[in-house]
Amino acid sequence: MELGQIVYSKAGRDSGKYYCVVEILGDDRVKIADGDLRRIKRAKIKNIKHLQSDGDILAKVAEKLKNGQQVFDAELFSALRFYNEKNQ
């Protein structure tokens, strides 16, 4: 898992939606957010075995997270909109 990586939730109440990895907590846990229901300030801690990665990375978001810059929920939401609409 990498910062800014797009992941698909396979288990839990949030299953079936796409999220972005906003923080890595260790070898098996990450924090994910979507900018809508799950905002960056209240990112969900998720076990990586419940996530599926498709290999895409949000480059601008990843760069901001690595540099410690603020990432806005609106830009995260708009970047993930395509993935969530494709899924429905």
Side-chain angles (χ1 to χ4, degrees):
M1 292 284 161
E2 295 180 46
L3 289 177
Q5 188 169 11
I6 298 173
V7 292
Y8 179 78
S9 178
K10 299 188 297 185
R13 288 187 292 180
D14 56 2
S15 65
K17 291 183 71 180
Y18 284 92
Y19 294 89
C20 178
V21 176
V22 294
E23 188 177 342
I24 299 173
L25 300 175
D27 291 338
D28 63 340
R29 293 189 180 265
V30 294
K31 282 190 176 183
I32 58 172
D34 66 355
D36 185 27
L37 297 175
R38 225 3 117 176
R39 298 187 180 264
I40 294 174
K41 296 240 188 239
R42 296 186 317 113
K44 181 170 179 79
I45 298 173
K46 195 90 166 160
N47 193 320
I48 61 170
K49 70 180 183 181
H50 297 148
L51 299 171
Q52 177 181 342
S53 172
D54 64 351
D56 289 346
I57 295 176
L58 300 174
K60 288 183 180 180
V61 173
E63 190 66 31
K64 283 185 172 185
L65 289 169
K66 289 176 185 172
N67 292 334
Q69 297 174 328
Q70 183 178 8
V71 178
F72 295 101
D73 290 314
E75 66 183 311
L76 193 58
F77 177 72
S78 65
L80 290 172
R81 182 181 300 161
F82 169 74
Y83 292 93
N84 285 317
E85 287 176 357
K86 177 178 72 170
N87 191 33
Q88 292 179 356

